[in-house]
Amino acid sequence: MKNGAELLVEALAHHGVDTVFGFPGDTSIALYDVLGRREHGVGHVLVRDERHAGFMADAYTRTTRRIGVCEASSGAGAVYLASGLAEAFASSIPLLVITTDNSRRSHGTAAISEIDQSQLFSACTKWRRVADRTADIPDLVAQAVAAATEGRPGPVALIFPEDVLEGVVENDRATPPRRPATTAVPGQRPSAPVATVREAANRLAAARNPVVVAGGGSHLSGAASELTLLAEHLGMPVGTSIHGKGVIDEAHPLALGVVGSNGARDYANAWVAAADLVLFVGTRANATDTLSFTVPARDGASILHIEADGERAGRNYPGSTALVGDARTVLGQLRAELHEAPDSLRAEREARLAAARRAWLLADAPRVPQDPDFEVFPPAEIITALGKAFGRDTWVVADAGTPTPYLSCFWEAPGGDWRVVIPRGHGPMGYAVPAAVGIAVGHPGERVLCLTTENSLAMAVGEWETAARLELPITYVVLDNTSLAWIKMIQHLYAGSRYFAVDPGPLDPVHLGRGMGIEGARARSLEEFADLAVAAASAPGPSLIHALVPEHMDAPPPVPAWHSALSGEVTARPIH
């Protein structure tokens, strides 16, 4: 005899789940009773906020390419968790969401935690099911795991009424899974139609100045090696979205780095804008990724778009050739159809790109003058110091706002794994603090570098206790410009410098950290910051560094639209 909770945990273990991020509640007692026995190898990470369980599972998935699992109880727990799923849904990150609900006997009685969870999750999951029979639980888990990775990946939700989890069935009466499923991502690798691949290959071969723009779908597909091989095969430069950062080694002679409207180097955007053919790979190609559809222009280059979701492929660029399938698979199909470019052509493009890189480095050298007695540091110099202290292979996660453009522009990521995680589905503040926990759990013993801000920290500081409790090797760097600097900059540029609701009171991260069990210090000079970073890179357990940075109007970050507004070239707000 087994109850539903036992069947659920057994099913998770069967599919390779090793961790559940969650927070218990009244309706999940049966589930936690089974998790607490630790009989099936399924571990549990107790979070301090259900929303953060979603963020942890999201980052776990991105960096391990195994489906992360998050859990919450009925009522407010489910509501909080829903807000932690929107980023994963927008970014096409497959998650398995488990929630518990009131007993079916109390439905419709205005119970204290009653809410229609299917309706609640309809906007932030791609698939939802309510378990009506205890015996069906193993098959429901198999269906959910498969659904998470079919077509466009995304979160899926299984909702378990309390009485279904507590229900008991004979061992041989449980419904066996109708099909196997795995938590590895992607679950399927469909190829694109041969005729479409040949047409796309012919256009690539005929292009005079082709370029790739790769996104997060390339990472989820594990397409890094195949993408680099195709780039080298054709001598074709590769730019990325923020989500795609690092899918090709950014030190590679054909790597452009991040392109678009946030954190791009000017030569990278210029290269894509001048291309006569752009191959999008696993990216939404939205306004942020394309500098409001100018990189490339919609009426300019020929567009090929590799995308798992047929409804998204080519949608933002009418007239595109859609290559619907798994990114790694389709890139291999294209390479098989193409002759290798002459060495002379590849060398010429690499030389042009190297010259553009050198010119950018020289032009960007005087980033922000630094007074040795001034305790506000240029963010670009902070990124440089962190790179020297931690090395390129460190797992890095960053919050929205100040960390995003500077990390995108100045951190040089290695190729392969999704080692630089910046949430750009919705850009939720407070993501990075819990996400760092998810990465550290997914990669035991490996150092994680988390860049956050004082206001993102305010939304997620409770998870510092989680990092301390689990003794995770995370270094938190708090970039503090004492305001809601991103919004304040928008008010500065587009609202006549009328600042409102952007200057909350100060926080002291060092004192907050000590209260949560994390030791740290505020850097008083760039030299001290560099020393603190070196010490943190090898210290056991979590640590933190607090650094003051300038407001954006005093030191504009690499956001092209803002520089255009400051020069008077463009006065209208950019398209999102």
Side-chain angles (χ1 to χ4, degrees):
M1 302 283 286
K2 292 182 179 177
N3 67 20
E6 290 170 319
L7 292 175
L8 173 56
V9 175
E10 282 186 355
L12 294 176
H14 174 72
H15 293 295
V17 172
D18 58 14
T19 304
V20 176
F21 301 94
F23 191 91
D26 290 0
T27 56
S28 61
I29 298 301
L31 173 59
Y32 274 75
D33 183 54
V34 178
L35 288 172
R37 298 176 201 166
R38 304 180 183 275
E39 296 170 347
H40 307 289
V42 179
H44 179 267
V45 172
L46 174 62
V47 304
R48 303 307 297 254
D49 183 312
E50 292 90 346
R51 173 184 47 161
H52 300 157
F55 292 158
M56 290 179 191
D58 175 324
Y60 175 98
T61 299
R62 295 189 202 218
T63 59
T64 66
R65 289 183 43 230
R66 301 194 305 273
I67 297 175
V69 181
C70 50
E71 175 275 334
S73 61
S74 61
V79 173
Y80 284 6
L81 179 56
S83 67
L85 303 177
E87 166 64 28
F89 182 70
S91 297
S92 301
I93 307 301
L95 305 180
L96 175 57
V97 181
I98 294 171
T99 62
T100 52
D101 202 358
N102 297 334
S103 169
R104 290 172 296 176
R105 295 187 299 275
S106 69
H107 284 186
T109 66
I112 188 171
S113 58
E114 184 171 0
I115 191 170
D116 186 337
Q117 292 192 32
S118 293
Q119 184 176 355
L120 172 68
F121 291 123
S122 63
C124 56
T125 62
K126 61 175 288 191
W127 181 99
R128 298 153 297 283
R129 294 291 186 275
V130 178
D132 291 320
R133 293 195 328 138
T134 301
D136 292 341
I137 289 175
D139 186 51
L140 282 173
V141 172
Q143 290 182 50
V145 170
T149 59
E150 290 178 350
R152 177 191 166 199
V156 299
L158 287 175
I159 303 162
F160 296 95
E162 191 175 12
D163 57 308
V164 174
L165 279 183
E166 294 174 347
V168 175
V169 295
E170 298 285 348
N171 291 355
D172 59 355
R173 298 292 296 277
T175 306
R178 290 180 299 211
R179 53 181 171 173
T182 173
T183 58
V185 180
Q188 300 175 335
R189 292 196 178 274
S191 57
V194 173
T196 308
V197 170
R198 287 178 177 163
E199 175 195 345
N202 289 336
R203 290 166 65 187
L204 270 169
R208 298 183 308 278
N209 192 24
V211 67
V212 174
V213 176
S218 304
H219 276 304
L220 284 175
S221 174
S225 294
E226 198 60 60
L227 178 62
T228 302
L229 286 171
L230 180 63
E232 293 171 343
H233 193 74
L234 296 179
M236 181 169 55
V238 177
T240 74
S241 68
I242 293 175
H243 274 166
K245 183 175 175 67
V247 72
I248 185 172
D249 187 333
E250 291 184 307
H252 192 286
L254 290 169
L256 290 166
V258 170
V259 302
S261 67
N262 195 337
R265 299 176 180 182
D266 53 7
Y267 68 81
N269 277 347
W271 199 292
V272 177
D276 63 339
L277 182 145
V278 177
L279 171 61
F280 287 122
V281 183
T283 173
R284 296 170 292 177
N286 63 10
T288 300
D289 298 339
T290 64
L291 191 55
S292 299
F293 307 110
T294 64
V295 179
R298 279 174 163 161
D299 58 355
S302 176
I303 304 294
L304 311 176
H305 195 167
I306 300 175
E307 172 60 50
D309 182 358
E311 294 184 1
R312 283 195 163 199
R315 183 173 67 185
N316 286 336
Y317 280 80
S320 300
T321 297
L323 294 153
V324 181
D326 168 64
R328 190 177 83 181
T329 302
V330 179
L331 287 167
Q333 288 180 278
L334 284 173
R335 186 162 59 90
E337 294 287 336
L338 288 158
H339 293 295
E340 191 170 1
D343 290 344
S344 58
L345 176 62
R346 185 162 55 244
E348 183 273 330
R349 288 174 179 166
E350 289 179 358
R352 275 198 294 133
L353 180 49
R357 242 188 230 133
R358 286 194 299 271
W360 173 79
L361 283 170
L362 289 172
D364 194 67
R367 293 164 185 163
V368 178
Q370 179 62 31
D371 183 337
D373 298 323
F374 195 49
E375 295 178 0
V376 178
F377 315 134
E381 300 298 340
I382 287 176
I383 300 300
T384 299
L386 291 171
K388 291 177 180 177
F390 286 84
R392 302 174 72 226
D393 291 333
T394 298
W395 299 100
V396 186
V397 61
D399 262 310
T402 302
T404 295
Y406 286 103
L407 194 65
S408 297
C409 192
F410 296 105
W411 183 275
E412 194 171 80
D417 297 324
W418 200 335
R419 285 190 175 267
V420 179
V421 175
I422 306 174
R424 300 310 300 164
H426 286 164
M429 292 175 64
Y431 170 95
V433 174
V437 173
I439 297 173
V441 169
H443 303 275
E446 298 185 43
R447 173 64 55 179
V448 180
L449 176 60
C450 173
L451 276 68
T452 187
T453 66
E454 79 282 10
N455 290 300
S456 284
L457 177 63
M459 297 185 176
V461 69
E463 301 308 337
W464 274 3
E465 186 280 326
T466 306
R469 175 175 11 106
L470 300 179
E471 300 179 339
L472 299 175
I474 302 171
T475 298
Y476 291 99
V477 178
V478 183
L479 304 181
D480 184 352
N481 40 33
T482 69
S483 71
L484 297 175
W486 199 271
I487 306 305
K488 194 171 185 178
M489 183 63 165
I490 294 172
Q491 292 177 347
H492 178 73
L493 294 174
Y494 308 112
S497 298
R498 294 183 295 276
Y499 308 127
F500 178 71
V502 289
D503 292 294
L507 299 177
D508 188 331
V510 174
H511 279 86
L512 287 171
R514 286 175 183 159
M516 299 283 179
I518 298 179
E519 288 298 321
R522 176 180 158 189
R524 303 290 177 173
S525 68
L526 274 173
E527 291 75 15
E528 184 182 8
F529 181 91
D531 291 341
L532 289 169
V534 169
S538 58
S543 58
L544 73 95
I545 307 172
H546 179 205
L548 297 184
V549 295
E551 298 224 46
H552 295 325
M553 57 274 258
D554 297 326
V559 177
W562 290 1
H563 287 271
S564 295
L566 289 167
S567 69
E569 180 183 346
V570 178
T571 57
R573 282 193 65 186
I575 300 170
H576 265 44

